[in-house]
Amino acid sequence: MRGLKTILFLIISNTFMTFAWYGHLKFKDYEWGKNLGLISVILISWGLAFFEYMFQVPANRAGFKGDGGPYTLVQLKTIQEAITLIVFMLFSLVFFKTEKLGWNHLVGFGLIVLAVFVIFKKW
C-alpha cells in the first residue's frame, strides 16, 4: 500500500512541478497573463511548487525503505524520474499542441523504462 501511495503522490507532485516549471510559458496566451512580469511569474511558480512539495515529501517518506517503505533511495529517484518524463510528455502534448512526439523521443523513453528495469532487477 505504501508503494502505491508513493507512486500516486509522485504523480501528483510531478504534475504540480511540471506546471510550475513549464506552465508559465502559456500565460501569455491568456488575457490575465499577457502583462505579467518575471517576478510575478516566479511567484506563481513558487506557489505551485509549494503544492509539489506537499506531495513529494510525503511520497518519499512513505516510499523510503529507511522509513518502512518498499523502495531504496535509488529506486525512489528512478521512479520519480520516469514519472517526471511521462507527466512532461502528456503535458507537452496536451498544452503545447505544436510539440510533436518523434521516434527518437519514444526510443529515449524506452531506454528510461529499461533503466528502471535494470535498477529494480535483483542481480
Side-chain angles (χ1 to χ4, degrees):
M1 191 63 171
R2 289 180 74 145
L4 184 59
K5 175 183 176 182
T6 297
I7 291 170
L8 177 63
F9 276 23
L10 286 174
I11 290 169
I12 295 167
S13 169
N14 276 280
T15 301
F16 279 111
M17 178 195 72
T18 301
F19 276 94
W21 283 19
Y22 302 104
H24 63 86
L25 299 173
K26 295 296 276 182
F27 285 0
K28 65 185 176 299
D29 294 349
Y30 301 100
E31 192 61 41
W32 58 266
K34 288 186 191 298
N35 297 315
L36 287 176
L38 183 58
I39 297 299
S40 297
V41 172
I42 290 170
L43 291 174
I44 292 168
S45 292
W46 276 355
L48 290 168
F50 170 78
F51 293 102
E52 172 203 350
Y53 278 82
M54 292 293 291
F55 289 94
Q56 180 76 21
V57 172
N60 286 334
R61 285 190 168 227
F64 182 53
K65 262 191 180 169
D67 288 334
Y71 306 118
T72 66
L73 187 61
V74 173
Q75 289 172 332
L76 267 175
K77 182 60 179 172
T78 305
I79 292 167
Q80 187 272 327
E81 290 298 334
I83 289 171
T84 295
L85 287 172
I86 292 167
V87 169
F88 177 78
M89 180 181 64
L90 293 171
F91 173 84
S92 65
L93 291 173
V94 170
F95 292 99
F96 289 84
K97 305 277 191 222
T98 58
E99 296 291 321
K100 302 293 183 231
L101 194 59
W103 69 268
N104 55 326
H105 301 121
L106 296 175
V107 170
F109 290 149
L111 290 172
I112 291 167
V113 170
L114 180 61
V116 172
F117 169 78
V118 169
I119 287 172
F120 274 80
K121 176 80 172 141
K122 304 288 186 218
W123 298 97

